[in-house]
Amino acid sequence: MSIIAIDGSSATGKGTLCSKLAQVFDYAYLDTGALYRGVGYELLKNGFSPNDENKAIEIAKSLSGEKMLHLQDESVIRTEEYGKAASIVSAFPGVRKALFEFQRRFAQNPVKKDGAIAQGAVLDGRDIGTVICPDAEYKIFLTARPEIRAERRFKELQLKGLCVIYEDVLSDILARDKRDSERTTAPLKPADDAFILDTSDLTADDVYAQVVCFIQERNQKVPQTRLGGQF
Ligand code: DC
């Protein structure tokens, strides 16, 4: 089973890269951030604080495999509010423990959206290369300057028709980075053997091309024809 582990902060280009890799390699894709967002969403929706550790653990434990698999397709969890709640609940070791097994199983038996078993998996998150799949064949860690990430997120939110202030977006990004990288359990950090790529000044096509080069260097057997294509 071939596993591509993609980690990094928000707005570094992980989602776009993962979708492209999964499509070209015909691998199953799991956006693990959706699991934490799902817990944050259920908490807030039911009137609880994202800081309510016991409730967060209870919710994480109650999520069925089927529910976890489909969370990534739910657009309602994609707001800044649920992103922040996800970051808070993800610091609770009990929440991480409750979501661990599902992620590990997905990596070992990846199932595509159409239900077919895939030859490999692309997982994106914060701790894929370090905790969930430490034996992954390919580990990639994306970074980008906070100002660039804030600008990307700012434009994204504006396109959605939301009235946002750039400075607020930047301070939210910095606060999330701090929480995600300073927590004691599975903090955001690159695995020792990860390929670290700064996407600040790269287009999505550049990022894809550089990651494919890294994969090719690791495994000369990957057929060229499956690696081409633009976004
Ligand atoms: O990738 P995202 O923005 O959807 O993630 C939301 C939050 O979930 C992120 O701030 C930290 C947490 N997260 C995590 O702790 N571990 C993961 N593997 C994925 C996400």
Side-chain angles (χ1 to χ4, degrees):
M1 192 57 61
S2 221
I3 294 169
I4 306 177
I6 315 272
D7 289 303
S9 307
S10 56
T12 49
K14 293 193 308 277
T16 310
L17 172 65
C18 288
S19 300
K20 177 73 175 173
L21 287 170
Q23 178 206 325
V24 173
F25 283 77
D26 198 22
Y27 282 0
Y29 170 33
L30 183 66
D31 161 15
T32 65
L35 305 178
Y36 297 93
R37 283 175 181 267
V39 175
Y41 172 74
E42 289 294 334
L43 265 177
L44 299 188
K45 193 183 74 175
N46 291 295
F48 296 99
S49 153
N51 295 300
D52 188 333
E53 183 167 1
N54 289 335
K55 201 70 202 169
I57 295 171
E58 190 185 313
I59 289 172
K61 281 182 174 169
S62 75
L63 295 175
S64 66
E66 190 64 17
K67 172 78 182 165
M68 291 200 226
L69 198 56
H70 293 111
L71 270 170
Q72 56 189 338
D73 301 322
E74 289 187 14
S75 53
V76 71
I77 63 172
R78 298 285 157 201
T79 65
E80 296 305 285
E81 188 188 15
Y82 299 130
K84 184 178 172 189
S87 170
I88 294 171
V89 302
S90 69
F92 301 141
V95 168
R96 303 202 76 83
K97 190 164 172 240
L99 303 179
F100 175 86
E101 211 40 58
F102 170 77
Q103 297 174 73
R104 183 58 75 76
R105 246 184 297 122
F106 183 92
Q108 285 164 350
N109 300 294
V111 180
K112 290 187 289 180
K113 288 235 162 78
D114 61 6
I117 304 291
Q119 294 303 306
V122 182
L123 282 88
D124 106 44
R126 304 291 188 284
D127 62 340
I128 308 301
T130 51
V131 176
I132 305 293
C133 303
D135 298 327
E137 243 167 307
Y138 314 105
K139 296 180 193 173
I140 294 117
F141 190 90
L142 301 186
T143 65
R145 294 190 295 280
E147 293 73 17
I148 299 272
R149 292 160 49 215
E151 211 174 294
R152 288 175 186 163
R153 180 56 50 81
F154 177 68
K155 283 183 185 153
E156 227 176 84
L157 295 169
Q158 273 193 325
L159 276 177
K160 282 187 188 170
L162 296 169
C163 180
V164 279
I165 299 167
Y166 170 82
E167 283 72 21
D168 291 347
V169 178
L170 178 60
S171 73
D172 282 353
I173 278 190
L174 292 173
R176 187 119 80 94
D177 280 358
K178 187 169 158 59
R179 232 185 345 255
D180 292 349
S181 51
E182 290 184 1
R183 67 180 178 226
T184 8
T185 313
L188 166 69
K189 66 169 186 189
D192 292 340
D193 52 348
F195 167 55
I196 300 176
L197 182 61
D198 184 336
T199 68
S200 300
D201 304 309
L202 302 177
T203 64
D205 282 335
D206 292 337
V207 173
Y208 175 73
Q210 293 214 24
V211 167
V212 165
C213 273
F214 161 74
I215 291 175
Q216 281 177 321
E217 276 168 26
R218 277 279 159 104
N219 179 10
Q220 295 298 329
K221 284 180 281 178
V222 178
Q224 282 290 329
T225 48
R226 287 171 61 198
L227 302 174
Q230 301 285 299
F231 283 103

